[in-house]
Amino acid sequence: DAGVTQSPTHLIKTRGQQVTLRCSPKSGHDTVSWYQQALGQGPQFIFQYYEEEERQRGNFPDRFSGHQFPNYSSELNVNALLLGDSALYLCASTGLAPETQYFGPGTRLLVL
Amino acid sequence: GNSVTQMEGPVTLSEEAFLTINCTYTATGYPSLFWYVQYPGEGLQLLLKATKADDKGSNKGFEATYRKETTSFHLEKGSVQVSDSAVYFCALSDRGLTGGGNKLTFGTGTQLKVEL
């Protein structure tokens, strides 16, 4: 049973560029959440997708957008990258037990 | 809003020492509480959870009890090993939306270093 997978593992971009990160949830899970973890900090909630719609959103600007596909996989898009967007981006999935989220290994984004 | 406060690290212990990492929370309603662990260069792994007051979560020798009266969820282990060296995050979760999962609110993490 595959866990949550994310791609790519690492990414380097320059300011002003756009980036797309991808996530496949754990088998049987239908809800995907995205978190940003800055160096030395705890993860911060970006948004959550269920039934291909954004269900909840954290305190992140509109430059952060997402999508969920019919197979429950998800993408996180960030436009007009800033240096401060450099972080580990974590995807988590949830199934029948909505309070328990399982995390992927993350995508480490560096903005230069 | 919801918040989680953890003791600052790093916490440095000798192998077989007793571990306590303090965690307190502020939340509206009745959250579920979690401890996640992050090993260097990796994502988060769920260590244990408790979903209601007085529940005790346990896993791999780690324990934490949901204390509603003190709004706390302290992590303990009787005898740590070098392999327990990692960053530990306390988190809380809102009660679920129908058909969806909850968002997690994390503390800032506590780094544990266990030495021989």
Side-chain angles (χ1 to χ4, degrees):
Chain A
D1 178 23
V4 179
T5 60
Q6 293 185 242
S7 63
T9 56
H10 294 82
L11 205 51
I12 300 175
K13 292 286 188 179
T14 57
R15 281 178 298 174
Q17 285 189 312
Q18 178 265 343
V19 68
T20 298
L21 310 181
R22 296 177 176 82
C23 171
S24 291
K26 188 175 168 65
S27 178
H29 286 187
D30 57 8
T31 302
V32 173
S33 301
W34 287 92
Y35 294 81
Q36 180 195 66
Q37 185 180 16
L39 196 63
Q41 300 297 315
Q44 298 290 317
F45 176 76
I46 304 175
F47 44 53
Q48 182 181 89
Y49 277 84
Y50 172 71
E51 292 189 338
E52 302 179 49
E53 292 187 359
E54 183 182 290
R55 289 297 298 262
Q56 296 189 71
R57 189 177 182 91
N59 189 25
F60 279 80
D62 292 344
R63 298 188 297 109
F64 289 77
S65 63
H67 187 77
Q68 186 178 35
F69 299 94
N71 67 353
Y72 308 123
S73 67
S74 176
E75 290 182 347
L76 164 65
N77 300 292
V78 187
N79 294 322
L81 284 166
L82 303 174
L83 296 179
D85 295 332
S86 295
L88 180 67
Y89 288 86
L90 295 164
C91 170
S93 72
T94 312
L96 292 178
E99 73 276 1
T100 303
Q101 298 189 22
Y102 294 87
F103 284 80
T107 294
R108 191 164 297 280
L109 172 64
L110 178 61
V111 182
L112 300 176
Chain B
N2 297 337
S3 67
V4 175
T5 302
Q6 290 182 235
M7 62 187 288
E8 291 192 12
V11 173
T12 303
L13 296 173
S14 299
E15 200 169 45
E16 299 184 2
F18 184 85
L19 168 71
T20 300
I21 300 178
N22 292 335
C23 171
T24 57
Y25 67 90
T26 301
T28 54
Y30 303 96
S32 295
L33 301 174
F34 304 83
W35 279 99
Y36 281 85
V37 58
Q38 187 173 37
Y39 297 99
E42 298 185 9
L44 300 177
Q45 297 179 24
L46 177 64
L47 181 59
L48 54 83
K49 69 177 183 181
T51 58
K52 62 183 187 295
D54 299 325
D55 269 3
K56 176 185 283 188
S58 61
N59 186 28
K60 300 180 182 179
F62 291 90
E63 294 182 338
T65 301
Y66 189 141
R67 301 288 189 198
K68 187 170 181 292
E69 64 276 11
T70 55
T71 61
S72 64
F73 192 56
H74 305 320
L75 182 67
E76 297 182 337
K77 186 175 185 183
S79 176
V80 294
Q81 306 298 312
V82 171
S83 57
D84 294 327
S85 298
V87 180
Y88 292 81
F89 291 93
C90 185
L92 68 81
S93 171
D94 299 325
R95 283 300 182 211
L97 300 171
T98 300
N102 306 333
K103 70 174 185 179
L104 289 167
T105 300
F106 287 88
T108 54
T110 302
Q111 184 176 11
L112 171 65
K113 299 180 181 178
V114 181
E115 302 173 335
L116 289 172

PDB file of all heavy atoms in Angstrom, chain A residues 40-70:
ATOM      1  N   GLY A  40      13.001  25.544  10.238  1.00  0.00           N
ATOM      2  CA  GLY A  40      12.954  25.733  11.684  1.00  0.00           C
ATOM      3  C   GLY A  40      11.577  26.028  12.252  1.00  0.00           C
ATOM      4  O   GLY A  40      11.454  26.356  13.435  1.00  0.00           O
ATOM      5  N   GLN A  41      10.555  25.918  11.432  1.00  0.00           N
ATOM      6  CA  GLN A  41       9.186  26.217  11.873  1.00  0.00           C
ATOM      7  C   GLN A  41       8.278  25.002  11.729  1.00  0.00           C
ATOM      8  O   GLN A  41       8.636  24.017  11.077  1.00  0.00           O
ATOM      9  CB  GLN A  41       8.614  27.367  11.035  1.00  0.00           C
ATOM     10  CG  GLN A  41       9.405  28.655  11.136  1.00  0.00           C
ATOM     11  CD  GLN A  41       9.400  29.210  12.545  1.00  0.00           C
ATOM     12  OE1 GLN A  41       8.353  29.261  13.197  1.00  0.00           O
ATOM     13  NE2 GLN A  41      10.575  29.613  13.029  1.00  0.00           N
ATOM     14  N   GLY A  42       7.099  25.112  12.323  1.00  0.00           N
ATOM     15  CA  GLY A  42       6.093  24.087  12.113  1.00  0.00           C
ATOM     16  C   GLY A  42       5.360  24.327  10.812  1.00  0.00           C
ATOM     17  O   GLY A  42       5.339  25.440  10.287  1.00  0.00           O
ATOM     18  N   PRO A  43       4.749  23.286  10.259  1.00  0.00           N
ATOM     19  CA  PRO A  43       3.988  23.463   9.020  1.00  0.00           C
ATOM     20  C   PRO A  43       2.808  24.422   9.209  1.00  0.00           C
ATOM     21  O   PRO A  43       2.176  24.442  10.270  1.00  0.00           O
ATOM     22  CB  PRO A  43       3.492  22.046   8.731  1.00  0.00           C
ATOM     23  CG  PRO A  43       4.446  21.141   9.437  1.00  0.00           C
ATOM     24  CD  PRO A  43       4.807  21.893  10.687  1.00  0.00           C
ATOM     25  N   GLN A  44       2.530  25.185   8.147  1.00  0.00           N
ATOM     26  CA  GLN A  44       1.398  26.105   8.127  1.00  0.00           C
ATOM     27  C   GLN A  44       0.418  25.634   7.049  1.00  0.00           C
ATOM     28  O   GLN A  44       0.816  25.373   5.906  1.00  0.00           O
ATOM     29  CB  GLN A  44       1.865  27.525   7.800  1.00  0.00           C
ATOM     30  CG  GLN A  44       2.840  28.106   8.828  1.00  0.00           C
ATOM     31  CD  GLN A  44       2.171  28.410  10.150  1.00  0.00           C
ATOM     32  OE1 GLN A  44       1.070  28.952  10.184  1.00  0.00           O
ATOM     33  NE2 GLN A  44       2.824  28.047  11.241  1.00  0.00           N
ATOM     34  N   PHE A  45      -0.857  25.584   7.404  1.00  0.00           N
ATOM     35  CA  PHE A  45      -1.906  25.105   6.511  1.00  0.00           C
ATOM     36  C   PHE A  45      -2.129  26.081   5.369  1.00  0.00           C
ATOM     37  O   PHE A  45      -2.342  27.277   5.597  1.00  0.00           O
ATOM     38  CB  PHE A  45      -3.183  24.918   7.311  1.00  0.00           C
ATOM     39  CG  PHE A  45      -4.386  24.515   6.505  1.00  0.00           C
ATOM     40  CD1 PHE A  45      -4.535  23.221   6.038  1.00  0.00           C
ATOM     41  CD2 PHE A  45      -5.387  25.439   6.235  1.00  0.00           C
ATOM     42  CE1 PHE A  45      -5.652  22.854   5.313  1.00  0.00           C
ATOM     43  CE2 PHE A  45      -6.514  25.081   5.515  1.00  0.00           C
ATOM     44  CZ  PHE A  45      -6.651  23.784   5.056  1.00  0.00           C
ATOM     45  N   ILE A  46      -2.091  25.552   4.121  1.00  0.00           N
ATOM     46  CA  ILE A  46      -2.353  26.393   2.947  1.00  0.00           C
ATOM     47  C   ILE A  46      -3.802  26.251   2.520  1.00  0.00           C
ATOM     48  O   ILE A  46      -4.554  27.223   2.498  1.00  0.00           O
ATOM     49  CB  ILE A  46      -1.415  26.035   1.777  1.00  0.00           C
ATOM     50  CG1 ILE A  46       0.050  26.149   2.212  1.00  0.00           C
ATOM     51  CG2 ILE A  46      -1.712  26.934   0.580  1.00  0.00           C
ATOM     52  CD1 ILE A  46       1.035  25.691   1.134  1.00  0.00           C
ATOM     53  N   PHE A  47      -4.201  25.054   2.129  1.00  0.00           N
ATOM     54  CA  PHE A  47      -5.590  24.759   1.786  1.00  0.00           C
ATOM     55  C   PHE A  47      -5.827  23.266   1.724  1.00  0.00           C
ATOM     56  O   PHE A  47      -4.888  22.459   1.816  1.00  0.00           O
ATOM     57  CB  PHE A  47      -6.036  25.413   0.477  1.00  0.00           C
ATOM     58  CG  PHE A  47      -5.070  25.341  -0.670  1.00  0.00           C
ATOM     59  CD1 PHE A  47      -4.528  24.134  -1.098  1.00  0.00           C
ATOM     60  CD2 PHE A  47      -4.703  26.494  -1.357  1.00  0.00           C
ATOM     61  CE1 PHE A  47      -3.650  24.071  -2.154  1.00  0.00           C
ATOM     62  CE2 PHE A  47      -3.827  26.441  -2.425  1.00  0.00           C
ATOM     63  CZ  PHE A  47      -3.298  25.245  -2.824  1.00  0.00           C
ATOM     64  N   GLN A  48      -7.102  22.930   1.582  1.00  0.00           N
ATOM     65  CA  GLN A  48      -7.529  21.527   1.556  1.00  0.00           C
ATOM     66  C   GLN A  48      -8.525  21.328   0.415  1.00  0.00           C
ATOM     67  O   GLN A  48      -9.397  22.179   0.177  1.00  0.00           O
ATOM     68  CB  GLN A  48      -8.202  21.171   2.875  1.00  0.00           C
ATOM     69  CG  GLN A  48      -8.656  19.739   3.003  1.00  0.00           C
ATOM     70  CD  GLN A  48      -9.324  19.511   4.338  1.00  0.00           C
ATOM     71  OE1 GLN A  48     -10.528  19.681   4.487  1.00  0.00           O
ATOM     72  NE2 GLN A  48      -8.524  19.146   5.328  1.00  0.00           N
ATOM     73  N   TYR A  49      -8.408  20.181  -0.255  1.00  0.00           N
ATOM     74  CA  TYR A  49      -9.295  19.850  -1.368  1.00  0.00           C
ATOM     75  C   TYR A  49     -10.054  18.563  -1.092  1.00  0.00           C
ATOM     76  O   TYR A  49      -9.483  17.569  -0.589  1.00  0.00           O
ATOM     77  CB  TYR A  49      -8.492  19.704  -2.658  1.00  0.00           C
ATOM     78  CG  TYR A  49      -8.239  21.026  -3.303  1.00  0.00           C
ATOM     79  CD1 TYR A  49      -7.169  21.820  -2.908  1.00  0.00           C
ATOM     80  CD2 TYR A  49      -9.094  21.523  -4.281  1.00  0.00           C
ATOM     81  CE1 TYR A  49      -6.953  23.052  -3.471  1.00  0.00           C
ATOM     82  CE2 TYR A  49      -8.884  22.755  -4.860  1.00  0.00           C
ATOM     83  CZ  TYR A  49      -7.810  23.522  -4.450  1.00  0.00           C
ATOM     84  OH  TYR A  49      -7.595  24.752  -5.008  1.00  0.00           O
ATOM     85  N   TYR A  50     -11.332  18.596  -1.435  1.00  0.00           N
ATOM     86  CA  TYR A  50     -12.203  17.425  -1.322  1.00  0.00           C
ATOM     87  C   TYR A  50     -13.217  17.509  -2.450  1.00  0.00           C
ATOM     88  O   TYR A  50     -13.774  18.582  -2.715  1.00  0.00           O
ATOM     89  CB  TYR A  50     -12.899  17.416   0.036  1.00  0.00           C
ATOM     90  CG  TYR A  50     -13.961  16.365   0.181  1.00  0.00           C
ATOM     91  CD1 TYR A  50     -13.620  15.020   0.278  1.00  0.00           C
ATOM     92  CD2 TYR A  50     -15.311  16.706   0.229  1.00  0.00           C
ATOM     93  CE1 TYR A  50     -14.587  14.040   0.403  1.00  0.00           C
ATOM     94  CE2 TYR A  50     -16.278  15.731   0.358  1.00  0.00           C
ATOM     95  CZ  TYR A  50     -15.914  14.398   0.449  1.00  0.00           C
ATOM     96  OH  TYR A  50     -16.872  13.432   0.569  1.00  0.00           O
ATOM     97  N   GLU A  51     -13.462  16.404  -3.117  1.00  0.00           N
ATOM     98  CA  GLU A  51     -14.394  16.358  -4.253  1.00  0.00           C
ATOM     99  C   GLU A  51     -14.071  17.459  -5.266  1.00  0.00           C
ATOM    100  O   GLU A  51     -14.971  18.155  -5.766  1.00  0.00           O
ATOM    101  CB  GLU A  51     -15.845  16.456  -3.772  1.00  0.00           C
ATOM    102  CG  GLU A  51     -16.265  15.223  -3.006  1.00  0.00           C
ATOM    103  CD  GLU A  51     -17.766  15.191  -2.696  1.00  0.00           C
ATOM    104  OE1 GLU A  51     -18.400  16.262  -2.699  1.00  0.00           O
ATOM    105  OE2 GLU A  51     -18.274  14.084  -2.444  1.00  0.00           O
ATOM    106  N   GLU A  52     -12.792  17.637  -5.501  1.00  0.00           N
ATOM    107  CA  GLU A  52     -12.266  18.551  -6.524  1.00  0.00           C
ATOM    108  C   GLU A  52     -12.545  20.025  -6.219  1.00  0.00           C
ATOM    109  O   GLU A  52     -12.424  20.872  -7.104  1.00  0.00           O
ATOM    110  CB  GLU A  52     -12.812  18.174  -7.918  1.00  0.00           C
ATOM    111  CG  GLU A  52     -12.475  16.748  -8.321  1.00  0.00           C
ATOM    112  CD  GLU A  52     -13.026  16.367  -9.683  1.00  0.00           C
ATOM    113  OE1 GLU A  52     -12.824  17.136 -10.654  1.00  0.00           O
ATOM    114  OE2 GLU A  52     -13.655  15.294  -9.787  1.00  0.00           O
ATOM    115  N   GLU A  53     -12.913  20.314  -4.971  1.00  0.00           N
ATOM    116  CA  GLU A  53     -13.153  21.707  -4.597  1.00  0.00           C
ATOM    117  C   GLU A  53     -12.303  22.084  -3.378  1.00  0.00           C
ATOM    118  O   GLU A  53     -12.028  21.243  -2.513  1.00  0.00           O
ATOM    119  CB  GLU A  53     -14.626  21.930  -4.266  1.00  0.00           C
ATOM    120  CG  GLU A  53     -15.546  21.818  -5.464  1.00  0.00           C
ATOM    121  CD  GLU A  53     -16.957  22.216  -5.131  1.00  0.00           C
ATOM    122  OE1 GLU A  53     -17.229  22.557  -3.957  1.00  0.00           O
ATOM    123  OE2 GLU A  53     -17.804  22.201  -6.034  1.00  0.00           O
ATOM    124  N   GLU A  54     -11.945  23.356  -3.302  1.00  0.00           N
ATOM    125  CA  GLU A  54     -11.228  23.853  -2.134  1.00  0.00           C
ATOM    126  C   GLU A  54     -12.224  23.983  -0.981  1.00  0.00           C
ATOM    127  O   GLU A  54     -13.192  24.728  -1.052  1.00  0.00           O
ATOM    128  CB  GLU A  54     -10.596  25.214  -2.454  1.00  0.00           C
ATOM    129  CG  GLU A  54      -9.754  25.783  -1.323  1.00  0.00           C
ATOM    130  CD  GLU A  54      -9.191  27.159  -1.668  1.00  0.00           C
ATOM    131  OE1 GLU A  54      -8.313  27.247  -2.537  1.00  0.00           O
ATOM    132  OE2 GLU A  54      -9.643  28.140  -1.040  1.00  0.00           O
ATOM    133  N   ARG A  55     -11.971  23.268   0.127  1.00  0.00           N
ATOM    134  CA  ARG A  55     -12.904  23.233   1.247  1.00  0.00           C
ATOM    135  C   ARG A  55     -12.506  24.202   2.360  1.00  0.00           C
ATOM    136  O   ARG A  55     -13.346  24.738   3.057  1.00  0.00           O
ATOM    137  CB  ARG A  55     -12.976  21.818   1.820  1.00  0.00           C
ATOM    138  CG  ARG A  55     -13.668  20.836   0.932  1.00  0.00           C
ATOM    139  CD  ARG A  55     -15.123  21.209   0.727  1.00  0.00           C
ATOM    140  NE  ARG A  55     -15.856  21.188   1.977  1.00  0.00           N
ATOM    141  CZ  ARG A  55     -16.600  20.176   2.390  1.00  0.00           C
ATOM    142  NH1 ARG A  55     -16.713  19.112   1.620  1.00  0.00           N
ATOM    143  NH2 ARG A  55     -17.251  20.229   3.526  1.00  0.00           N
ATOM    144  N   GLN A  56     -11.209  24.343   2.570  1.00  0.00           N
ATOM    145  CA  GLN A  56     -10.720  25.251   3.600  1.00  0.00           C
ATOM    146  C   GLN A  56      -9.469  25.924   3.064  1.00  0.00           C
ATOM    147  O   GLN A  56      -8.753  25.352   2.236  1.00  0.00           O
ATOM    148  CB  GLN A  56     -10.347  24.502   4.885  1.00  0.00           C
ATOM    149  CG  GLN A  56     -11.462  23.810   5.600  1.00  0.00           C
ATOM    150  CD  GLN A  56     -10.995  23.295   6.944  1.00  0.00           C
ATOM    151  OE1 GLN A  56     -10.751  24.046   7.885  1.00  0.00           O
ATOM    152  NE2 GLN A  56     -10.841  21.985   7.049  1.00  0.00           N
ATOM    153  N   ARG A  57      -9.190  27.113   3.579  1.00  0.00           N
ATOM    154  CA  ARG A  57      -7.992  27.826   3.154  1.00  0.00           C
ATOM    155  C   ARG A  57      -7.369  28.512   4.352  1.00  0.00           C
ATOM    156  O   ARG A  57      -8.080  29.078   5.195  1.00  0.00           O
ATOM    157  CB  ARG A  57      -8.334  28.864   2.076  1.00  0.00           C
ATOM    158  CG  ARG A  57      -7.112  29.499   1.440  1.00  0.00           C
ATOM    159  CD  ARG A  57      -7.485  30.466   0.341  1.00  0.00           C
ATOM    160  NE  ARG A  57      -6.298  31.023  -0.287  1.00  0.00           N
ATOM    161  CZ  ARG A  57      -5.694  30.505  -1.353  1.00  0.00           C
ATOM    162  NH1 ARG A  57      -6.196  29.425  -1.933  1.00  0.00           N
ATOM    163  NH2 ARG A  57      -4.606  31.049  -1.855  1.00  0.00           N
ATOM    164  N   GLY A  58      -6.060  28.462   4.419  1.00  0.00           N
ATOM    165  CA  GLY A  58      -5.321  29.165   5.455  1.00  0.00           C
ATOM    166  C   GLY A  58      -5.016  30.583   5.016  1.00  0.00           C
ATOM    167  O   GLY A  58      -5.529  31.079   4.005  1.00  0.00           O
ATOM    168  N   ASN A  59      -4.161  31.233   5.765  1.00  0.00           N
ATOM    169  CA  ASN A  59      -3.847  32.636   5.530  1.00  0.00           C
ATOM    170  C   ASN A  59      -2.726  32.774   4.499  1.00  0.00           C
ATOM    171  O   ASN A  59      -1.615  33.217   4.815  1.00  0.00           O
ATOM    172  CB  ASN A  59      -3.454  33.295   6.857  1.00  0.00           C
ATOM    173  CG  ASN A  59      -3.330  34.794   6.726  1.00  0.00           C
ATOM    174  OD1 ASN A  59      -3.934  35.395   5.853  1.00  0.00           O
ATOM    175  ND2 ASN A  59      -2.531  35.391   7.589  1.00  0.00           N
ATOM    176  N   PHE A  60      -3.009  32.409   3.274  1.00  0.00           N
ATOM    177  CA  PHE A  60      -2.041  32.509   2.183  1.00  0.00           C
ATOM    178  C   PHE A  60      -2.658  33.326   1.057  1.00  0.00           C
ATOM    179  O   PHE A  60      -3.857  33.259   0.823  1.00  0.00           O
ATOM    180  CB  PHE A  60      -1.660  31.110   1.669  1.00  0.00           C
ATOM    181  CG  PHE A  60      -0.616  30.435   2.525  1.00  0.00           C
ATOM    182  CD1 PHE A  60      -0.968  29.809   3.701  1.00  0.00           C
ATOM    183  CD2 PHE A  60       0.714  30.464   2.151  1.00  0.00           C
ATOM    184  CE1 PHE A  60      -0.012  29.207   4.503  1.00  0.00           C
ATOM    185  CE2 PHE A  60       1.681  29.859   2.938  1.00  0.00           C
ATOM    186  CZ  PHE A  60       1.311  29.235   4.112  1.00  0.00           C
ATOM    187  N   PRO A  61      -1.816  34.101   0.344  1.00  0.00           N
ATOM    188  CA  PRO A  61      -2.345  34.957  -0.726  1.00  0.00           C
ATOM    189  C   PRO A  61      -2.834  34.136  -1.919  1.00  0.00           C
ATOM    190  O   PRO A  61      -2.562  32.943  -2.039  1.00  0.00           O
ATOM    191  CB  PRO A  61      -1.123  35.815  -1.109  1.00  0.00           C
ATOM    192  CG  PRO A  61       0.056  34.997  -0.713  1.00  0.00           C
ATOM    193  CD  PRO A  61      -0.355  34.253   0.522  1.00  0.00           C
ATOM    194  N   ASP A  62      -3.528  34.842  -2.809  1.00  0.00           N
ATOM    195  CA  ASP A  62      -4.108  34.198  -3.997  1.00  0.00           C
ATOM    196  C   ASP A  62      -3.059  33.662  -4.961  1.00  0.00           C
ATOM    197  O   ASP A  62      -3.395  32.912  -5.891  1.00  0.00           O
ATOM    198  CB  ASP A  62      -5.009  35.195  -4.742  1.00  0.00           C
ATOM    199  CG  ASP A  62      -6.244  35.533  -3.938  1.00  0.00           C
ATOM    200  OD1 ASP A  62      -6.541  34.783  -2.982  1.00  0.00           O
ATOM    201  OD2 ASP A  62      -6.912  36.534  -4.265  1.00  0.00           O
ATOM    202  N   ARG A  63      -1.790  34.050  -4.743  1.00  0.00           N
ATOM    203  CA  ARG A  63      -0.717  33.483  -5.587  1.00  0.00           C
ATOM    204  C   ARG A  63      -0.638  31.960  -5.413  1.00  0.00           C
ATOM    205  O   ARG A  63      -0.105  31.264  -6.274  1.00  0.00           O
ATOM    206  CB  ARG A  63       0.639  34.079  -5.196  1.00  0.00           C
ATOM    207  CG  ARG A  63       0.783  35.562  -5.376  1.00  0.00           C
ATOM    208  CD  ARG A  63       2.203  36.007  -5.135  1.00  0.00           C
ATOM    209  NE  ARG A  63       2.664  35.758  -3.762  1.00  0.00           N
ATOM    210  CZ  ARG A  63       3.564  34.837  -3.426  1.00  0.00           C
ATOM    211  NH1 ARG A  63       4.097  34.033  -4.333  1.00  0.00           N
ATOM    212  NH2 ARG A  63       3.935  34.707  -2.147  1.00  0.00           N
ATOM    213  N   PHE A  64      -1.155  31.486  -4.303  1.00  0.00           N
ATOM    214  CA  PHE A  64      -1.182  30.053  -4.019  1.00  0.00           C
ATOM    215  C   PHE A  64      -2.548  29.523  -4.465  1.00  0.00           C
ATOM    216  O   PHE A  64      -3.600  29.975  -3.982  1.00  0.00           O
ATOM    217  CB  PHE A  64      -0.983  29.782  -2.533  1.00  0.00           C
ATOM    218  CG  PHE A  64       0.413  30.062  -2.046  1.00  0.00           C
ATOM    219  CD1 PHE A  64       0.840  31.366  -1.829  1.00  0.00           C
ATOM    220  CD2 PHE A  64       1.299  29.028  -1.808  1.00  0.00           C
ATOM    221  CE1 PHE A  64       2.127  31.635  -1.383  1.00  0.00           C
ATOM    222  CE2 PHE A  64       2.586  29.273  -1.361  1.00  0.00           C
ATOM    223  CZ  PHE A  64       3.007  30.585  -1.149  1.00  0.00           C
ATOM    224  N   SER A  65      -2.527  28.591  -5.386  1.00  0.00           N
ATOM    225  CA  SER A  65      -3.772  27.998  -5.856  1.00  0.00           C
ATOM    226  C   SER A  65      -3.572  26.495  -6.009  1.00  0.00           C
ATOM    227  O   SER A  65      -2.431  26.005  -6.031  1.00  0.00           O
ATOM    228  CB  SER A  65      -4.211  28.606  -7.183  1.00  0.00           C
ATOM    229  OG  SER A  65      -3.252  28.337  -8.190  1.00  0.00           O
ATOM    230  N   GLY A  66      -4.686  25.798  -6.137  1.00  0.00           N
ATOM    231  CA  GLY A  66      -4.563  24.355  -6.222  1.00  0.00           C
ATOM    232  C   GLY A  66      -5.623  23.748  -7.099  1.00  0.00           C
ATOM    233  O   GLY A  66      -6.500  24.436  -7.645  1.00  0.00           O
ATOM    234  N   HIS A  67      -5.509  22.436  -7.183  1.00  0.00           N
ATOM    235  CA  HIS A  67      -6.476  21.692  -7.987  1.00  0.00           C
ATOM    236  C   HIS A  67      -6.483  20.260  -7.483  1.00  0.00           C
ATOM    237  O   HIS A  67      -5.451  19.746  -7.046  1.00  0.00           O
ATOM    238  CB  HIS A  67      -6.060  21.732  -9.462  1.00  0.00           C
ATOM    239  CG  HIS A  67      -7.082  21.133 -10.379  1.00  0.00           C
ATOM    240  ND1 HIS A  67      -8.226  21.789 -10.745  1.00  0.00           N
ATOM    241  CD2 HIS A  67      -7.120  19.930 -10.999  1.00  0.00           C
ATOM    242  CE1 HIS A  67      -8.934  21.012 -11.550  1.00  0.00           C
ATOM    243  NE2 HIS A  67      -8.280  19.881 -11.724  1.00  0.00           N
ATOM    244  N   GLN A  68      -7.661  19.641  -7.564  1.00  0.00           N
ATOM    245  CA  GLN A  68      -7.742  18.220  -7.278  1.00  0.00           C
ATOM    246  C   GLN A  68      -8.380  17.530  -8.474  1.00  0.00           C
ATOM    247  O   GLN A  68      -9.371  18.024  -9.035  1.00  0.00           O
ATOM    248  CB  GLN A  68      -8.559  17.932  -6.018  1.00  0.00           C
ATOM    249  CG  GLN A  68      -8.533  16.447  -5.616  1.00  0.00           C
ATOM    250  CD  GLN A  68      -9.303  16.149  -4.355  1.00  0.00           C
ATOM    251  OE1 GLN A  68     -10.329  16.760  -4.078  1.00  0.00           O
ATOM    252  NE2 GLN A  68      -8.822  15.179  -3.581  1.00  0.00           N
ATOM    253  N   PHE A  69      -7.852  16.402  -8.834  1.00  0.00           N
ATOM    254  CA  PHE A  69      -8.304  15.663 -10.010  1.00  0.00           C
ATOM    255  C   PHE A  69      -9.279  14.553  -9.597  1.00  0.00           C
ATOM    256  O   PHE A  69      -9.352  14.196  -8.422  1.00  0.00           O
ATOM    257  CB  PHE A  69      -7.101  15.090 -10.753  1.00  0.00           C
ATOM    258  CG  PHE A  69      -6.162  16.152 -11.246  1.00  0.00           C
ATOM    259  CD1 PHE A  69      -5.070  16.547 -10.490  1.00  0.00           C
ATOM    260  CD2 PHE A  69      -6.381  16.782 -12.464  1.00  0.00           C
ATOM    261  CE1 PHE A  69      -4.209  17.539 -10.936  1.00  0.00           C
ATOM    262  CE2 PHE A  69      -5.536  17.768 -12.917  1.00  0.00           C
ATOM    263  CZ  PHE A  69      -4.452  18.156 -12.150  1.00  0.00           C
ATOM    264  N   PRO A  70     -10.018  13.990 -10.577  1.00  0.00           N
ATOM    265  CA  PRO A  70     -10.988  12.935 -10.231  1.00  0.00           C
ATOM    266  C   PRO A  70     -10.364  11.731  -9.534  1.00  0.00           C
ATOM    267  O   PRO A  70     -11.053  11.016  -8.806  1.00  0.00           O
ATOM    268  CB  PRO A  70     -11.587  12.556 -11.588  1.00  0.00           C
ATOM    269  CG  PRO A  70     -11.455  13.793 -12.407  1.00  0.00           C
ATOM    270  CD  PRO A  70     -10.165  14.427 -11.972  1.00  0.00           C
TER     271      PRO A  70
END
